[in-house]
Amino acid sequence: MNSQLRRAVSTAFVGALGIAALAACGEQSKDSSDGGSGKSRTVTLVSHDSFAASPAVLKEFTEQTGYKVKVLKSGDAGAALNKEILTKGSPQGDVFFGVDNTLLSRALQNDLFIPYEAKGLDQVADEVQLDKDKHRVTPVDTGDICVNYDKKYFADKKLAPPQTFDDLAEPAYKNLLVVENAATSSPGLGFLLGTVAEYGDEGWQDYWKKLDANGVKVVDGWEQAYNEEFSGSAGGKKAKADRPLVVSYASSPPVEVLYSDPQPAEAPTGVATGTCFRQIEFAGLLDGAKNEAGGKALLDFLITKKFQEDMPLNMFVNPVVKDAKLPELFTEHGAVVDKPETVAPETITKNREQWVQSWSSLVLK
Amino acid sequence: MAVPVAFFALFFAYPVTAIVGRGLNVDGVWQLGRIGEVLGRPELLRVLWFTTWQALASTALTLLIALPGAYVFARFDFPGKRLLRAVVTVPFVLPTVVVGTAFLALLGRGGLLDDLWGVRLDTTVWAILLAHVFFNYAVVVRTVGGLWSQLDPRQEEAARVLGAGRFAAWRSVTLPALGPVVAAATLMIFLFTFTSFGVVQILGGPTFATLEVEIYRQTAHLLDLSTAAVLTLVQLAAVGTVLAVHAWTVRRRESALRLVDPALTARRPRGAGQWALLCAVLATVALLLLAPLAVLVERSFDTPQGYGFAYYRELGTVDPTGGAFLVPPVEAVWNSLQYALVATAIAVAVGGLAAAALTRRAGRFVRGFDALLMLPLGVSAVTVGFGFLITLDEPPLDLRASWILVPLAQALVGVPFVVRTMLPVLRAVDQRLREAAAVLGASPLRAWREVDLPLVRRALLIAAGFAFAVSLGEFGATVFIARPDRPTLPVAVARLLGRPGELNYGQAMALSTILMAVCAVALLLLERIRTGVRSDNTTEEF
């Protein structure tokens, strides 16, 4: 048994070396084709699954700086951040993109990022710079989590679509709304935080009791809510979905237009602009990054007009740079959210677990 | 023995121990008190209770519905049998994201049951149980049916000639022979349903959670590693107990069987009773398995301009704005095939060597290892994935960004299948043949090539096919090790479903259909190999 164990351990080691060598070879042959000698010419961006950028724009970054971008998608926003916290000090990449205001404090408390003041930050709107003093993170985009409605349903019923949180609890909209689980889904959490911001720590639970009595349906993730339950989406139509109200994003209607063939003149869905919670997404230079110089260049690039104007049609979010133009598709079919709800990141971190727990016991039975 | 032990230690035991240790060891102090604390939380006890009873109920329901199917597939000959057997296996390897969608179409609002009788099951626990039947039907048909078709019907007839009634003959002859393989199937289904993730998440909604779902939530969302660690230990203990009970009961009941060529035992049904049974089974298969699959196919062709190939054509193009991928989605087919091939090679090498070692040697250590190799089926993908992240992060083992991690993770799930398939066959090889070869001067390698290989070739191919199919459908671990330029089919489907818009949804359905077709073709090739070569005297667990 003893010799068997020893043999096993030594084989494990040799086998591991073999696999590592194999993997290293694969990487090396790719790296050497970049022509890099000594310093790495690749900068690795770790992000969540929703990250997307036009190949042309990434190519332009390479032309400007000489760095090639390698993107590692690391699961949904929460999982991606948690992975970075677990691998702190030995990160998978150089820059992390996609920590939002609901998770920001968790990232900052864990000292994930090296401070760096990105070039061009003076062009970024003031109200989204939530770490203004230390510059550990750089704001990159904003998005609004709002209730979407099925235009056809409300037109057929000759009923005005709801506009505010209060409306959703009205009897006219009984059994129409589907929301995501706040414990497992980021739009679900965003909507809960929106109600907390609207009704305060005292009132939000009463509001949810009303929603519950008004027949709100809770499903686990955005995919189920939007594709299976919401009657306004393409998937929902096929699934004969019967909920004309869903928690999604202010940018969902333009996306419905973009991914239709042929594109309709008018989006099939609309946004209840009085039900919005604002998400701000940040990027930061990871502590332990192997390519710090490349990471800094990438952070600068994320807030250039070039990248900012590419984002809306890829990630369906809004630019944070002041003079970045929105594509026509957005201005035509998207909603302008004047007064989105917000909650300070520290308040969210402090109360999140307790809010989600009270919410769960109120709504999930 | 050394290779499988090393593989298992490095890519399973080490990462899982590390992540559990990280959860329970805070700043160098073991927080064993957490175990009691977590187990005392009523909501987690409820999760444990739900996990257990839904697994028991799902397993029982699956056996109830699928055993007649196993009998029909084993004993009856009917046109299209081979194709149908391949198709009923498709759900088993489909990603749960897709299955959930398909299943809702059947049981949910506007589904078949709703249209016919106004019955909707999408919000009840019945949806979960029936989806589990849908997934695991093939396990029973393939394992139990495989052996059943090789049992000599003349033994039962002999018993009847000697005066036993029909039921008594079945009970005393066929049932004992089937016992171990039914136990093996029960074990597999219990393991799958006990650790069910996607089905419960999609069909159960936020109100039902299994341990696996809860581990995922605690790890990926709340970063509560200590609670996740305790739950992982609970799940490991439960799975370990089940494996131990299984090993014990099978050893007590294992007996030598006289097996015959399956081609000799199947015949056309005779009499009204047998026809009725055949029809009932085919109707069940049509309603429970084929209907949901058909819905997916139908949706993939259902474009706004009427039925057509628009979504399929779209799969070949790159979204000019970037979209969900940097490559045409159809490339996911090649990625999946490549990953699955590498994963199959690893799984067959590791599993084959393990099975060989388990045949040659006995003793408690070896038998324990047999059970250990099944454990990857009982540990959540998120635990393994996070374990990979914190253990394989230093040269020479910084594999986190390497492509090899995907097939390694997939192979981990494939190995148990390879072992389960190869073991019974290898055990059936007469040791005296090997000895004879050695006496005649053959080296051990030569003896293996001349004696073992010809006898196990068929089982090896079947094992490879299963490992391939499992790798093709693997989602949980693969999604963790994502490379955006090289998505696999299930990952691509999930990503398309994650965006709004008609084209994205349609493409997801089209890709799912392609995944089904790839699976079905692989399994049909498998059937050809299975029946193309003359049958040996072997049992197949799969």
Side-chain angles (χ1 to χ4, degrees):
Chain A
M1 157 109 190
N2 226 339
S3 71
Q4 216 168 24
L5 206 63
R6 208 160 351 135
R7 198 147 38 111
V9 171
S10 60
T11 318
F13 191 67
V14 172
L17 280 181
I19 287 170
L22 198 68
C25 281
E27 299 299 314
Q28 231 157 41
S29 61
K30 248 182 281 153
D31 280 354
S32 60
S33 65
D34 301 344
S37 56
K39 266 177 107 180
S40 171
R41 303 311 291 165
T42 304
V43 53
T44 306
L45 176 73
V46 187
S47 187
H48 48 59
D49 285 343
S50 314
F51 178 84
S54 302
V57 167
L58 294 180
K59 214 163 123 196
E60 183 154 327
F61 173 71
T62 308
E63 276 160 18
Q64 277 174 19
T65 63
Y67 294 112
K68 251 181 98 170
V69 185
K70 191 172 133 194
V71 181
L72 272 182
K73 295 193 193 181
S74 197
D76 63 44
L81 175 67
N82 289 348
K83 285 188 197 173
E84 288 316 307
I85 292 172
L86 275 181
T87 56
K88 198 182 113 186
S90 170
Q92 304 189 76
D94 305 303
V95 170
F96 181 78
F97 165 78
V99 53
D100 69 9
N101 45 328
T102 67
L103 293 164
L104 183 62
S105 292
R106 189 191 282 176
L108 296 183
Q109 277 165 9
N110 281 285
D111 294 322
L112 278 188
F113 302 114
I114 311 171
Y116 171 68
E117 185 175 351
K119 291 193 190 79
L121 205 59
D122 52 327
Q123 289 304 306
V124 171
D126 224 32
E127 71 267 18
V128 298
Q129 298 200 31
L130 297 186
D131 193 40
K132 210 173 168 171
D133 309 328
K134 299 195 179 153
H135 299 298
R136 288 166 294 185
V137 288
T138 308
V140 176
D141 67 75
T142 67
D144 294 304
I145 293 166
C146 315
V147 168
N148 285 18
Y149 56 84
D150 176 1
K151 282 183 181 166
K152 188 171 177 299
Y153 175 91
F154 289 101
D156 288 352
K157 292 263 151 134
K158 302 208 166 43
L159 179 68
Q163 286 304 325
T164 63
F165 286 113
D166 278 341
D167 288 352
L168 295 174
E170 294 292 327
Y173 306 109
K174 196 172 172 70
N175 298 333
L176 301 188
L177 175 65
V178 57
V179 304
E180 295 86 358
N181 185 353
T184 52
S185 142
S186 64
L189 177 66
F191 186 65
L192 168 62
L193 293 174
T195 63
V196 172
E198 170 82 13
Y199 299 102
D201 223 3
E202 314 296 307
W204 71 267
Q205 301 205 16
D206 283 335
Y207 175 70
W208 275 95
K209 275 179 206 150
K210 279 189 223 155
L211 272 193
D212 194 37
N214 212 27
V216 68
K217 179 170 185 177
V218 186
V219 297
D220 232 34
W222 178 89
E223 283 85 352
Q224 289 111 272
Y226 196 83
N227 287 329
E228 304 287 346
E229 302 290 339
F230 176 49
S231 61
S233 71
K237 278 186 199 106
K238 285 184 191 177
K240 297 178 195 150
D242 61 359
R243 299 252 160 185
L245 296 172
V246 68
V247 170
S248 189
Y249 296 89
S251 57
S252 300
V255 186
E256 282 288 341
V257 176
L258 178 65
Y259 287 101
S260 292
D261 189 25
Q263 295 189 353
E266 194 193 334
T269 57
V271 171
T273 49
T275 62
C276 297
F277 174 78
R278 173 141 301 174
Q279 257 183 322
I280 307 166
E281 279 195 298
F282 302 87
L285 185 62
L286 285 164
D287 186 15
K290 290 186 192 69
N291 185 357
E292 237 187 86
K296 287 177 178 171
L298 185 58
L299 281 178
D300 294 342
F301 184 69
L302 292 180
I303 51 172
T304 57
K305 246 174 91 176
K306 187 88 197 169
F307 185 84
Q308 290 277 313
E309 291 185 347
D310 181 57
M311 287 185 319
L313 288 184
N314 276 299
M315 291 186 269
F316 317 113
V317 290
N318 299 309
V320 291
V321 169
K322 281 167 191 160
D323 56 347
K325 276 199 267 312
L326 271 173
E328 207 178 302
L329 188 83
F330 261 59
T331 46
E332 199 176 325
H333 302 289
V336 181
V337 181
D338 288 330
K339 288 200 192 100
E341 307 284 354
T342 54
V343 182
E346 310 82 61
T347 318
I348 296 175
T349 304
K350 212 168 73 201
N351 299 304
R352 168 214 292 270
E353 208 162 323
Q354 180 223 322
W355 282 339
V356 168
Q357 230 151 54
S358 330
W359 177 85
S360 299
S361 52
L362 260 178
V363 186
L364 307 177
K365 274 160 289 191
Chain B
M1 190 75 186
V3 172
V5 169
F7 177 82
F8 186 80
L10 200 60
F11 296 115
F12 180 71
Y14 175 43
V16 170
T17 319
I19 191 79
V20 170
R22 179 94 164 239
L24 290 181
N25 187 330
V26 179
D27 301 326
V29 183
W30 285 95
Q31 315 273 317
L32 295 181
R34 286 288 294 157
I35 298 181
E37 196 184 311
V38 169
L39 289 181
R41 274 157 64 179
E43 76 270 19
L44 294 179
L45 283 181
R46 265 204 306 278
V47 168
L48 180 60
W49 166 239
F50 174 73
T51 308
T52 310
W53 86 252
Q54 68 80 24
L56 286 172
S58 298
T59 309
L61 193 65
T62 308
L63 288 175
L64 191 73
I65 293 179
L67 277 176
Y71 175 76
V72 163
F73 276 100
R75 288 295 198 222
F76 292 159
D77 235 346
F78 51 92
K81 174 169 142 180
R82 210 189 277 181
L83 179 69
L84 198 61
R85 186 155 55 190
V87 172
V88 300
T89 318
V90 165
F92 183 64
V93 295
L94 275 182
T96 42
V97 232
V98 176
V99 172
T101 305
F103 227 68
L104 281 175
L106 178 73
L107 297 176
R109 155 197 351 98
L112 209 57
L113 289 182
D114 194 10
D115 280 353
L116 291 177
W117 300 292
V119 178
R120 277 181 60 182
L121 299 176
D122 56 340
T123 48
T124 67
V125 75
W126 280 102
I128 294 174
L129 299 186
L130 286 174
H132 283 155
V133 176
F134 172 80
F135 259 114
N136 295 313
Y137 192 87
V139 176
V140 178
V141 167
R142 290 196 166 246
T143 57
V144 181
L147 182 69
W148 210 330
S149 67
Q150 286 182 293
L151 287 182
D152 195 339
R154 281 170 300 189
Q155 290 178 321
E156 203 174 304
E157 281 156 23
R160 294 197 59 197
V161 168
L162 292 173
R166 184 179 283 237
F167 180 70
W170 183 82
R171 206 191 54 195
S172 56
V173 175
T174 306
L175 189 62
L178 286 179
V181 73
V182 172
T186 309
L187 170 79
M188 297 296 280
I189 298 170
F190 185 82
L191 281 184
F192 286 138
T193 51
F194 190 78
T195 60
S196 182
F197 179 72
V199 167
V200 175
Q201 248 205 340
I202 293 174
L203 296 175
T207 37
F208 297 113
T210 53
L211 275 174
E212 187 101 352
V213 171
E214 196 56 36
I215 291 171
Y216 180 80
R217 223 159 64 185
Q218 297 289 345
T219 313
H221 290 284
L222 302 175
L223 201 63
D224 186 347
L225 289 184
S226 60
T227 304
V230 175
L231 294 178
T232 302
L233 289 179
V234 170
Q235 184 161 323
L236 269 177
V239 167
T241 311
V242 172
L243 287 173
V245 169
H246 170 74
W248 181 69
T249 53
V250 165
R251 201 164 327 123
R252 276 163 47 107
R253 273 182 292 168
E254 215 159 52
S255 55
L257 298 173
R258 217 181 86 76
L259 301 174
V260 297
D261 191 328
L264 301 175
T265 65
R267 51 181 169 67
R268 299 226 136 220
R270 273 187 306 230
Q274 294 193 346
W275 277 108
L277 179 64
L278 177 63
C279 290
V281 165
L282 290 182
T284 313
V285 168
L287 195 72
L288 214 62
L289 286 100
L290 300 187
L293 298 179
V295 166
L296 288 182
V297 178
E298 191 261 343
R299 284 187 186 177
S300 76
F301 287 107
D302 184 14
T303 71
Q305 292 87 38
Y307 288 105
F309 286 93
Y311 295 140
Y312 289 87
R313 273 197 299 276
E314 203 67 31
L315 288 176
T317 59
V318 183
D319 189 334
T321 63
F325 311 101
L326 299 172
V327 293
V330 74
E331 279 189 16
V333 177
W334 301 120
N335 296 337
S336 270
L337 287 174
Q338 284 167 357
Y339 281 136
L341 277 176
V342 178
T344 306
I346 299 173
V348 167
V350 172
L353 285 169
L358 291 171
T359 325
R360 301 276 163 80
R361 295 176 210 184
R364 196 163 290 176
F365 176 68
V366 170
R367 275 206 307 272
F369 189 63
D370 184 9
L372 272 184
L373 281 171
M374 299 288 288
L375 275 187
L377 292 183
V379 172
S380 70
V382 68
T383 307
V384 177
F386 272 60
F388 273 5
L389 273 183
I390 63 164
T391 51
L392 308 178
D393 67 335
E394 272 169 38
L397 264 181
D398 189 358
L399 302 181
R400 292 174 304 174
S402 166
W403 62 273
I404 193 91
L405 213 49
V406 175
L408 277 174
Q410 293 175 344
L412 214 50
V413 192
V415 167
F417 287 91
V418 176
V419 175
R420 288 296 107 195
T421 313
M422 303 279 297
L423 206 51
V425 182
L426 279 170
R427 282 197 174 138
V429 175
D430 197 332
Q431 181 59 28
R432 283 170 302 184
L433 285 175
R434 295 187 191 112
E435 283 158 7
V439 168
L440 292 173
S443 65
L445 183 70
R446 175 106 194 259
W448 182 82
R449 207 180 66 207
E450 303 286 342
V451 175
D452 289 84
L453 189 62
L455 289 171
V456 303
R457 200 182 74 97
R458 197 166 61 111
L460 197 66
L461 286 169
I462 291 170
F466 252 101
F468 184 78
V470 169
S471 310
L472 210 57
E474 209 286 329
F475 178 72
T478 311
V479 77
F480 260 83
I481 313 150
R483 307 244 313 187
D485 51 333
R486 307 209 54 199
T488 65
L489 273 171
V491 171
V493 170
R495 217 164 265 169
L496 284 166
L497 282 177
R499 320 190 111 203
E502 180 131 52
L503 275 180
N504 289 321
Y505 186 84
Q507 286 185 68
M509 293 300 121
L511 262 192
S512 306
T513 306
I514 290 175
L515 177 59
M516 274 188 254
V518 171
C519 280
V521 168
L523 291 164
L524 271 178
L525 288 175
L526 210 73
E527 292 277 315
R528 276 187 65 86
I529 293 162
R530 184 200 274 262
T531 49
V533 183
R534 256 195 66 80
S535 162
D536 330 311
N537 272 5
T538 53
T539 61
E540 281 154 24
E541 288 200 30
F542 279 93

